[in-house]
Amino acid sequence: GSVCAKRPLACEHCGLNFHKELLNDHRTHCPERVVGCEFCGTDGILLGELALHYDECELKPWCCTMKDYGCTFEGPRKSLMEHLTFEDHIQIIVTHFKELSVVNKEQQEEIGHLNIQLDALTKAVKEGNRRVSTTLTTISRALHAQQEENRKLRSKLDDLSRMIEQKTIHPILSSKLEGTTTTHHRIPRDGTIERVSYPRYVEAGLVSRPVSARGTSSSSA
């Protein structure tokens, strides 16, 4: 029958046990597996040591260290060492720096445009802040004026409330003092003598004195 996928099996290279379903993947990457160099043909190299061999392999192709500057050379180590002595690299470097200079100039121009936009935005923000500050000041003054108006209205309402309370109390006092009057004399500017009678609650200052008709007048001495 078929072998269980979880059955432990030993790797023929390192001797470690793995589930059958994982064994094939391990064999591919097992550091104890013996391989050969694909460049120089050397055999008997452990897979775990192959990277070290590549660092010393004379036939492994290497890219020029000036690749980032535009050099396209690729060859074995020996040829690379000879290639690095070529004077062409100087021209490659000069060309690269010229390209960098052009890019730098374009970037400086772009930075200049961005600075102009930044200045415009800064001015716009300052102007916006100034308008907001002015608006807030106007609102604050309006609120203060409204509060003062409300204070005056409350004062008037308090006065009206006191007047209403007095008008509620006066009839009671008036009924108790009804028929009780006091007589006063006064001399207007024309020299005549007036006799005026007031209820006593008027004298008490609870209500204003009514306008009275002139009494019998006599000629001044």
Side-chain angles (χ1 to χ4, degrees):
S2 60
V3 180
C4 176
K6 301 298 181 181
R7 177 184 175 184
L9 297 175
C11 172
E12 61 270 27
H13 304 298
C14 64
L16 297 177
N17 291 327
F18 294 89
H19 290 160
K20 179 181 180 299
E21 60 184 356
L22 302 176
L23 184 59
N24 288 335
D25 183 67
H26 166 74
R27 285 171 178 165
T28 303
H29 304 286
C30 181
E32 299 296 324
R33 182 166 66 91
V34 178
V35 296
C37 177
E38 59 181 306
F39 304 113
C40 66
T42 302
D43 294 325
I45 304 173
L46 296 179
L47 182 61
E49 298 176 355
L50 185 60
L52 296 175
H53 170 77
Y54 283 157
D55 290 340
E56 300 176 356
C57 182
E58 294 293 335
L59 298 181
K60 178 182 180 295
W62 293 82
C63 293
C64 178
T65 54
M66 297 292 178
K67 179 181 179 180
D68 293 339
Y69 299 99
C71 183
T72 59
F73 173 84
E74 184 176 343
R77 182 190 299 273
K78 182 178 180 180
S79 299
L80 176 62
M81 299 306 295
E82 295 175 355
H83 167 76
L84 291 176
T85 61
F86 290 171
E87 295 181 357
D88 291 346
H89 285 152
I90 296 177
Q91 184 60 38
I92 291 175
I93 294 174
V94 171
T95 302
H96 178 70
F97 276 103
K98 286 182 178 179
E99 294 174 352
L100 288 179
S101 297
V102 173
V103 173
N104 181 63
K105 182 179 179 180
E106 293 175 351
Q107 290 178 344
Q108 291 296 329
E109 292 177 353
E110 182 65 21
I111 290 174
H113 294 319
L114 292 175
N115 284 332
I116 293 174
Q117 295 178 11
L118 178 60
D119 291 340
L121 289 174
T122 301
K123 291 179 180 179
V125 170
K126 289 182 178 179
E127 178 63 18
N129 289 338
R130 186 190 65 80
R131 292 181 179 179
V132 169
S133 178
T134 301
T135 302
L136 290 176
T137 301
T138 302
I139 293 174
S140 177
R141 290 175 179 174
L143 287 175
H144 180 74
Q146 187 62 46
Q147 290 173 352
E148 181 64 20
E149 186 66 21
N150 291 342
R151 186 190 65 78
K152 293 179 180 179
L153 288 175
R154 283 196 298 269
S155 178
K156 291 181 179 180
L157 288 174
D158 291 341
D159 292 341
L160 289 174
S161 297
R162 285 193 294 271
M163 291 175 64
I164 292 173
E165 290 176 357
Q166 290 175 357
K167 288 182 179 180
T168 303
I169 296 172
H170 291 166
I172 300 175
L173 295 177
S174 178
S175 63
K176 292 182 178 181
L177 299 175
E178 185 176 0
T180 305
T181 61
T182 58
T183 302
H184 298 270
H185 294 82
R186 66 179 181 180
I187 303 176
R189 292 182 179 180
D190 58 2
T192 59
I193 299 176
E194 293 181 344
R195 180 178 296 172
V196 184
S197 296
Y198 305 112
R200 288 185 177 178
Y201 63 83
V202 174
E203 290 298 315
L206 298 177
V207 296
S208 301
R209 295 183 178 183
V211 178
S212 61
R214 288 189 176 183
T216 304
S217 61
S218 60
S219 59
S220 58

